Amino acid sequence: MPTSSSKLQSSLSKSNETQIVLRSAIASRLLLLTLIILWRSLFTPYDTSAILNPNCLISSNSNNTSKQNLLLPSIGSAIEGSIVWDGVYFVRIAQCGYEYEQTYAFLPLLPICLYVISNTVFAPLIPIIGYRSVLGLSGYVINNIAFVFAAVYFYRLSLLILKDSGAALRASLLFCFNPASIFYSSLYSESLYALFSLGGIYHLISGANTIAVLQLALSGSARSNGVLNAGYFCFQTMHKAYDAIFQKRHSGLAVQSLVAGAVRTLFIFIPFIVFQVYGYYNICHGRLLDEMSPWCKGRLPVLYDYLQSHYWGVGFLRYFQFKQLPNFLLASPILSLALLSIIHYAKLRPEVVFSLGFRAAWEEKKDAAVLYLLHTTRESNSLQFSDDFSSNTLQGNSTLKQRKKKTKEENSDSSRNPAPSNYEAKSGYSSILILPFVLHLGFMGATAFLVMHVQVATRFLSASPPLYWFSSYLMISPGNGRRWGYLIWTYSASYILLGSLLFSNFYPFT
């Protein structure tokens, strides 16, 4: 049983590691912002039309100050020139609302944040650099701060899942310098999505279901794939119902679990559904049949699917063309890493993958080695990983104390030797707690490869924890660990340099 001094030492160690992650996240954002400024200073952008800003179609904006009246127009022009690619849409929506049909492909959370911050905190800057520049500046501030908090959430989540502070720290550092870093420091929705996705899952596993639902719902209002996070609640609900029926023999409890899970899942979908209804009302409502867009006439009119297909050519196997081979090559590293992480996990725990964890959950609960159900992990993890985000202190019985002691001893062994063993079948990357993350990554990876523009896979998958968890263990694997570490960091560094150069100067990247 650990002494009070060992508990204090463990707490200090985790606090120090949190500070390392925090400093690394801040350093990575400063690096990206520096690279953006550097590359835009050294090279001429491919498209210099970013500073063009026609008047709003729907309503005039009183904050649209004339450039002749600005105190520092050159700074304003520099910020406006950095608004490229999808950032143009987000800033335009924040300034003018949803003017065109295709703008509804961009979900409202980031534009709302831009509008609110620009008209409150940064409002005094409007007469100095201009309203559109203030919107862009607000986006940079919001996204870079959101990424820092997302990195801390990632570290906390990794501790809970892996039960290995060394692996959690390595994975978090990889996340801080991930290959899609340019998008987390630009006017894109990746940072907000990562913040609320990782935060929501962390609170779900910690037992704070209300906060988890709220944050996962916000992730669905940042990016459309945020609604897939409802799958974590679905996974939890299935196992709660299974546990109630086959172990506790309590059908009433199973029904209660199913109803609660359905309600929570619905709440995660609500922001996305409401936005689709909003689009239907603005585009289709009150129009004659001949004036309606084709999607308005559908039996179940879904705006988002139509926009992706009609304006961006997204569809099953539609991107499989010879001319798109360079884009497939650009996405091949992240897709290969995703595939390897899934295959490796399936080899480690085939019974978990093919039974969706039901058979393994029964066997391992009988062994009292780990608690599989996501909703029960709070009891064991609160004893093992006290952190700054938790407000509850739970006391365990003698069984849990013995498990804690055993886990500490075995974690020490696993950090020295990552090779498969009986214990690794219950912790580290082979923990059955990783199963829902692997299933989520598999669905996301298949969608990116088969349906979407494949080059976006780098940023589409960049917030998936298994990529970094698998990489963190790969980097210390016996024999080839140093080589894998070199390849992984070279991949990240090259994509950070290449992405910051190409993306910031309006050249295609991902």
Side-chain angles (χ1 to χ4, degrees), residues 4-292:
S4 58
S5 60
S6 64
K7 290 181 180 179
L8 178 60
Q9 184 178 4
S10 176
S11 178
L12 290 174
S13 176
K14 293 179 180 63
S15 177
N16 291 336
E17 290 178 352
T18 301
Q19 292 299 317
I20 292 173
V21 173
L22 185 63
R23 289 195 295 266
S24 299
I26 294 173
S28 69
R29 294 315 94 193
L30 292 176
L31 172 64
L32 263 296
L33 292 174
T34 301
L35 287 174
I36 291 174
I37 296 173
L38 174 64
W39 296 138
R40 288 193 63 84
S41 301
L42 296 177
F43 298 94
T44 301
Y46 174 75
D47 188 344
T48 58
S49 64
I51 59 174
L52 299 179
N53 186 34
N55 293 329
C56 299
L57 297 179
I58 298 178
S59 62
S60 59
N61 197 307
S62 59
N63 287 324
N64 206 0
T65 310
S66 172
K67 290 191 176 183
Q68 285 76 16
N69 300 325
L70 300 178
L71 295 179
L72 298 173
S74 59
I75 295 179
S77 296
I79 295 175
E80 286 193 57
S82 68
I83 302 172
V84 295
W85 295 107
D86 289 356
V88 175
Y89 286 96
F90 285 118
V91 170
R92 181 73 179 183
I93 293 168
Q95 181 179 6
C96 303
Y98 287 90
E99 301 173 293
Y100 307 99
E101 184 179 63
Q102 60 265 37
T103 59
Y104 286 86
F106 302 90
L107 271 66
L109 183 60
L110 180 56
I112 289 174
C113 291
L114 297 182
Y115 177 84
V116 171
I117 299 298
S118 297
N119 288 279
T120 54
V121 178
F122 291 150
L125 295 177
I126 293 175
I128 299 176
I129 59 177
Y131 185 52
R132 189 164 183 265
S133 300
V134 170
L135 287 170
L137 178 63
S138 300
Y140 286 117
V141 172
I142 291 169
N143 286 338
N144 284 277
I145 291 177
F147 178 83
V148 172
F149 282 99
V152 175
Y153 264 132
F154 183 91
Y155 172 69
R156 298 299 185 182
L157 176 64
S158 300
L159 277 177
L160 289 178
I161 297 297
L162 300 178
K163 302 179 177 63
D164 182 341
S165 60
L169 180 59
R170 289 192 303 273
S172 300
L173 295 179
L174 288 171
F175 176 73
C176 289
F177 296 93
N178 73 75
S181 285
I182 180 62
F183 299 101
Y184 289 91
S185 287
S186 301
L187 299 178
Y188 271 57
S189 55
E190 266 67 22
S191 287
L192 289 175
Y193 167 77
L195 171 62
F196 293 120
S197 292
L198 296 171
I201 298 169
Y202 170 81
H203 286 295
L204 167 62
I205 296 179
S206 298
N209 286 331
T210 301
I211 300 176
V213 169
L214 176 61
Q215 291 201 352
L216 294 181
L218 287 172
S219 76
S221 62
R223 292 188 55 83
S224 60
N225 53 291
V227 299
L228 296 178
N229 289 322
Y232 291 102
F233 267 111
C234 293
F235 186 87
Q236 179 196 67
T237 300
M238 286 192 307
H239 284 274
K240 280 186 175 182
Y242 177 89
D243 181 64
I245 294 174
F246 294 101
Q247 298 183 42
K248 297 179 180 178
R249 308 293 181 181
H250 196 320
S251 58
L253 183 60
V255 173
Q256 180 182 349
S257 299
L258 291 172
V259 171
V263 171
R264 289 164 181 159
T265 300
L266 178 62
F267 268 95
I268 295 173
F269 274 88
I270 281 178
F272 183 79
I273 295 173
V274 168
F275 184 65
Q276 301 306 298
V277 173
Y278 173 75
Y280 181 87
Y281 180 82
N282 287 339
I283 297 174
C284 307
H285 183 71
R287 296 181 182 271
L288 297 175
L289 191 64
D290 293 340
E291 298 175 346
M292 287 185 180

Side-chain angles (χ1 to χ4, degrees), residues 456-483:
V456 306
T458 303
R459 60 185 173 93
F460 186 65
L461 302 178
S462 60
S464 297
L467 295 175
Y468 308 100
W469 294 339
F470 173 66
S471 297
S472 71
Y473 282 103
L474 202 60
M475 291 168 62
I476 60 169
S477 60
N480 296 322
R482 180 174 296 182
R483 183 180 301 174

Side-chain angles (χ1 to χ4, degrees), residues 179 330-331 333-334 337 458 486-496:
L330 189 64
I334 195 73
L337 184 60
T458 303
Y486 175 80
L487 289 175
I488 291 169
W489 279 115
T490 300
Y491 164 49
S492 295
S494 60
Y495 269 59
I496 287 174

